[in-house]
Amino acid sequence: MNIAVVGLSHKTAPVEIREKLSIPEAKIESALTHLKGYPHIQEVAIISTCNRLEIYAVVTDTEKGVVEITQFLAEIGHIPLNVLRRYLFTLLHQDAVRHLLRVSAGLESLVLGEGQILAQVKNTHKLAQKYNSISQLLDRLFKQAMTAGKRVRTETSIGTGAVSISSAAVELAHAKVTDLSSKKIAIIGAGKMSRLLVTHLLAKGSQQIAIVNRSQRRAEELAREFPNLPLQLYGLEEMMATVAASDIVFTSTGATEPILTKNLLTEVTITATSLMLIDISVPRNVHTDVKELAQVQAFNVDDLKAVVAANQESRRQMAREAEALLEQEVEAFELWWRSLDTVPTISCLRSKIEDIREQELEKALSRLGTEFAEKHQEVIEAMTRGIVNKILHEPMVQLRAQQDIEARKRCLQSLQMLFNLSVGEEYS
């Protein structure tokens, strides 16, 4: 039994590859079901964001389980295995545990210390629970990761002033045009990323902002969050007209195919001297062929790295503080995991003692007579259970807390011998 993570991220794969492997939330259930169907995968959870796709699994055979996950990725991405392997990373056991904790803390993010990833890790855990794809090990691991992520943000200053993908996109636009206040800006999409875009644009003095979205209701909800900003709201049928009338367009939708292409842009009259398209979606919302148009400048999430780099250096010391804290959380998980080998023996011992308790209780009640037994059975039952629990509690706590593996093995062997325990599969 082992924990493995197989995946790729902004560090290992360009957006052209990442978008092929992106799994939208609507397809997570089928992906989890597919993965659980493999013979060597017992538990599985999927983190899918614009900058990473990572599959965490409890595997009964490490090598075969990793092969099954890799095969799954090749199938959903329609990428030959020999090509896909160049971009994948695989981490096992403690390295996989440490990696998830680092992801949750924002230490593996494009934007060091960004806060959105913790919410995404929480959502991964929630979906895995909802679709029954995780059990004891991954449930505990993700809870440990969420705890670690919270601790890093409350006990270190890494989250203070951290930029996000959205703020980096606005910084990129600001670097290119300097004065955003005079520019007509359109945002396609009305989700969380779009809300952050509006927030950061507002901070830069932008006042002419249009929101284009499929759902009018979501666009109106977004507008209500900025009551002092006259956001213009449009439906998708007005998207191209809005784009044509804008100086800068940000795209942040869940579309799986490009929504802005060279052909679409050539069909409208672009009023600005230069149209800037900044796409922060994965899969990409803007086709690469738009760069063939002389009036168009196009950027995607991978182009944000230079913007982010300027912010990173000052955060590296904070990251070192966070890493020390994360090691405590890794050790806490490892201690818990190592304690699991005590469970079969403890369960077997409890079962044996419970059998003895029930037998002796039955004898005692029969001697006391029917009338007394019926009247006082609950009290006597509770008393005997309490005695058993109190006798077993301290030894069990000490056994689980024993960090020395060999010492714990000797304790388990002694218990099994002294109480003549047969620890079979039913207790494993």
Side-chain angles (χ1 to χ4, degrees):
M1 192 82 70
N2 205 346
I3 291 178
V5 56
V6 180
L8 75 173
S9 73
H10 62 96
K11 293 182 178 181
T12 68
V15 66
E16 293 85 355
I17 297 295
R18 299 201 306 275
E19 67 184 357
K20 290 181 179 179
L21 293 165
S22 177
I23 304 176
E25 189 168 317
K27 294 185 178 180
I28 288 290
E29 181 180 10
S30 61
L32 291 172
T33 301
H34 190 149
L35 285 161
K36 278 290 294 285
Y38 285 112
H40 301 98
I41 297 177
Q42 285 199 335
E43 302 180 37
V44 65
I46 300 170
I47 297 179
S48 182
T49 74
C50 62
N51 280 322
R52 69 184 64 253
L53 174 71
E54 297 179 353
I55 296 178
Y56 291 83
V58 174
V59 293
T60 53
D61 182 296
T62 302
E63 186 176 346
K64 291 177 181 176
V66 167
V67 167
E68 287 165 356
I69 296 170
T70 306
Q71 183 63 47
F72 167 79
L73 291 173
E75 288 173 7
I76 66 165
H78 305 289
I79 304 171
L81 276 170
N82 63 318
V83 175
L84 179 61
R85 286 195 181 101
R86 299 176 206 160
Y87 304 106
L88 293 181
F89 64 83
T90 300
L91 298 170
L92 305 174
H93 194 72
Q94 193 175 78
D95 290 334
V97 171
R98 182 176 290 106
H99 180 75
L100 178 57
L101 269 58
R102 286 178 59 84
V103 168
S104 186
L107 299 190
E108 293 293 327
S109 297
L110 172 63
V111 179
L112 194 63
E114 59 100 358
Q116 280 183 295
I117 188 63
L118 179 56
Q120 290 162 337
V121 169
K122 288 179 181 177
N123 193 49
T124 293
H125 179 247
K126 183 182 77 173
L127 292 174
Q129 284 185 316
K130 180 180 178 180
Y131 300 127
N132 298 312
S133 69
I134 60 172
S135 188
Q136 186 181 32
L137 284 176
L138 286 189
D139 181 60
R140 177 65 179 239
L141 175 57
F142 271 82
K143 285 176 179 174
Q144 197 86 47
M146 289 184 281
T147 298
K150 290 174 187 173
R151 282 193 66 194
V152 164
R153 286 167 177 81
T154 56
E155 297 179 31
T156 76
S157 51
I158 195 166
T160 307
V163 294
S164 62
I165 295 294
S166 297
S167 67
V170 172
E171 287 296 335
L172 175 63
H174 185 249
K176 299 294 181 183
V177 301
T178 308
D179 181 17
L180 290 176
S181 63
S182 63
K183 301 299 180 183
K184 292 181 179 178
I185 297 170
I187 299 172
I188 304 177
K192 292 179 182 177
M193 300 283 270
S194 297
R195 177 176 56 78
L196 290 171
L197 283 170
V198 175
T199 300
H200 294 297
L201 285 166
L202 195 56
K204 295 291 185 185
S206 299
Q207 290 294 317
Q208 303 176 74
I209 303 175
I211 303 294
V212 179
N213 197 58
R214 183 188 304 276
S215 164
Q216 180 73 12
R217 179 183 58 80
R218 287 196 68 180
E220 289 171 353
E221 287 173 358
L222 175 60
R224 281 196 290 272
E225 294 188 42
F226 302 92
N228 298 321
L229 181 64
L231 290 174
Q232 303 164 59
L233 308 182
Y234 300 102
L236 283 185
E237 67 280 1
E238 298 172 280
M239 179 179 74
M240 291 313 301
T242 307
V243 168
S246 301
D247 298 297
I248 303 169
V249 177
F250 295 90
T251 58
S252 177
T253 81
T256 56
E257 298 291 337
I259 58 174
L260 293 180
T261 64
K262 176 184 174 182
N263 287 341
L264 287 172
L265 289 174
T266 53
E267 290 173 5
V268 296
T269 303
I270 298 173
T271 57
T273 308
S274 175
L275 174 63
M276 185 183 301
L277 304 176
I278 301 179
D279 182 9
I280 58 173
S281 302
V282 177
R284 287 172 293 177
N285 289 170
V286 178
H287 199 286
T288 53
D289 64 6
V290 301
K291 292 183 178 181
E292 297 171 18
L293 300 172
Q295 277 179 279
V296 175
Q297 289 180 284
F299 305 93
N300 61 47
V301 286
D302 283 356
D303 295 313
L304 301 179
K305 290 180 180 179
V307 177
V308 170
N311 182 269
Q312 299 291 67
E313 195 52 46
S314 63
R315 314 183 71 75
R316 298 202 187 281
Q317 178 56 40
M318 302 176 198
R320 283 190 281 273
E321 295 172 17
E323 284 167 353
L325 188 152
L326 288 181
E327 284 306 309
Q328 298 172 14
E329 295 295 328
V330 170
E331 182 60 24
F333 181 80
E334 286 294 316
L335 283 174
W336 171 81
W337 194 353
R338 288 199 296 269
S339 76
L340 292 181
D341 61 9
T342 66
V343 172
T345 298
I346 290 173
S347 298
C348 186
L349 177 60
R350 275 196 167 278
S351 179
K352 184 162 190 171
I353 291 178
E354 179 62 17
D355 287 343
I356 294 170
R357 185 193 70 81
E358 288 178 352
Q359 290 167 13
E360 294 304 311
L361 178 62
E362 189 176 342
K363 288 178 188 176
L365 291 174
S366 66
R367 292 192 194 116
L368 291 169
T370 306
E371 185 178 342
F372 184 90
E374 288 178 355
K375 188 175 181 180
H376 300 289
Q377 182 171 350
E378 285 187 15
V379 174
I380 299 171
E381 178 104 21
M383 180 189 71
T384 56
R385 284 187 187 279
I387 291 170
V388 166
N389 288 336
K390 286 185 183 297
I391 290 172
L392 289 178
H393 176 71
E394 192 60 31
M396 298 305 99
V397 168
Q398 294 300 323
L399 185 59
R400 289 191 181 100
Q402 177 58 257
Q403 295 186 31
D404 186 298
I405 295 174
E406 290 305 315
R408 189 164 64 245
K409 279 184 180 178
R410 288 194 295 272
C411 289
L412 290 171
Q413 289 167 354
S414 296
L415 271 177
Q416 291 165 13
M417 180 189 69
L418 290 170
F419 288 91
N420 192 27
L421 302 177
S422 298
V423 182
E425 286 189 9
E426 62 184 300
Y427 297 107
S428 299

